[in-house]
């Protein structure tokens, strides 16, 4: 539908803007993969770095990650643009086909890719927490997760706190699965070996919101038996009572709530 013949005017018409962003048919990537193998070494390395960071992205970010001037990035990318391995729209690049992206990813060693992810995470983390919306923050967490094994000790606590923030924002939007994965990442990056009550409470809440009631109940009971402040324990007790109610354990919910209220000096009769 991008190229058509207008019989009334007797000429062909085409939408060049739509064609330039259109993914190719399956027979075309085979030809493009041959072109990829013939690219100059500096172009291949650049394509590998770009593919490592995503099938589409920002040229400015690539320039900063690789510490290359934007003009040099465009110069090295020119051969790939000529044969349409990638397209360039303003300051954003896009690989023209998934198979091209996958082949470009394979150009770099995994250890090199992790270092690129780490450099990108470090750059994005500088502004991710204060940026409006969640897109930049979630992008930073993606790169942190990809480079988690290579994160150095001075960065681990900062990245852990950023992952916890991402988890709370994802939870706020209702994406509890992503929130739980961000919490697991935050725990993986923690530098302290002791118990983190706040982190565990967030994990418990996500399990509850995902409907994993048995898991949430076990986590609540573990929290209530672990060290922690009275207010934090009250939050865990409230959540445990909610789990009991969802499981139709009304008597257990009734026992849980008054017993923890006594910690605040509130004494209620079980049988008023």
């Amino acid at each position: 539908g991008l190229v058509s013949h207008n019989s009334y005017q007797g000429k062909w018409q085409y939408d060049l803007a739509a064609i330039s962003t259109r993914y190719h048919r399956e027979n075309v990537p085979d030809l493009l993969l041959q072109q990829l193998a013939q690219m100059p070494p500096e172009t291949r390395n650049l394509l590998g770095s770009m593919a490592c960071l995503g099938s589409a992205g920002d040229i400015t970010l690539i320039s900063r990650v690789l510490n290359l001037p934007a003009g040099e990035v465009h110069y090295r990318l020119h051969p790939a643009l000529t044969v349409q391995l990638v397209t360039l729209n303003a300051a954003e690049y896009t690989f023209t086909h998934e198979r091209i992206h996958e082949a470009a990813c394979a150009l770099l060693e995994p250890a090199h890719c992790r270092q690129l992810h780490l450099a990108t995470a470090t750059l994005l983390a500088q502004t991710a927490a204060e940026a409006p919306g969640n897109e930049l923050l979630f992008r930073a967490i993606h790169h942190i997760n990809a480079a988690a094994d290579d994160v150095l000790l001075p960065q681990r606590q900062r990245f852990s706190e950023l992952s916890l923030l991402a988890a709370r924002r994802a939870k706020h939007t209702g994406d509890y699965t992503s929130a739980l994965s961000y919490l697991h990442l935050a725990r993986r990056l923690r530098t302290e070996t002791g118990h983190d009550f706040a982190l565990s409470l967030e994990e418990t809440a996500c399990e509850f919101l995902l409907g994993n009631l048995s898991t949430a109940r076990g986590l609540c009971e573990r929290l209530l038996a672990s060290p922690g402040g009275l207010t934090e324990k009250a939050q865990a007790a409230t959540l445990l009572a909610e789990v009991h109610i969802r499981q139709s354990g009304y008597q257990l919910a009734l026992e849980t709530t008054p017993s923890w209220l006594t910690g605040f000096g509130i004494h209620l009769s079980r049988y008023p």
Side-chain angles (χ1 to χ4, degrees), residues 2 14-23 87 89:
L2 301 179
Y14 57 90
D15 186 343
L16 188 58
I19 290 172
S20 67
T21 60
R22 186 79 168 186
Y23 273 22
T87 61
N89 180 16

Side-chain angles (χ1 to χ4, degrees), residues 62-81:
I62 284 289
S63 174
R64 294 178 65 195
V65 169
L66 299 180
N67 196 26
L68 285 174
E72 179 65 20
V73 172
H74 282 85
Y75 175 76
R76 295 187 184 187
L77 195 59
H78 181 71
L81 291 169

Side-chain angles (χ1 to χ4, degrees), residues 246-259:
R246 296 290 182 91
Q247 292 181 320
S248 299
Y250 303 115
Q251 186 62 38
L252 289 171
L254 186 60
E255 290 296 324
T256 298
T257 307
S259 65

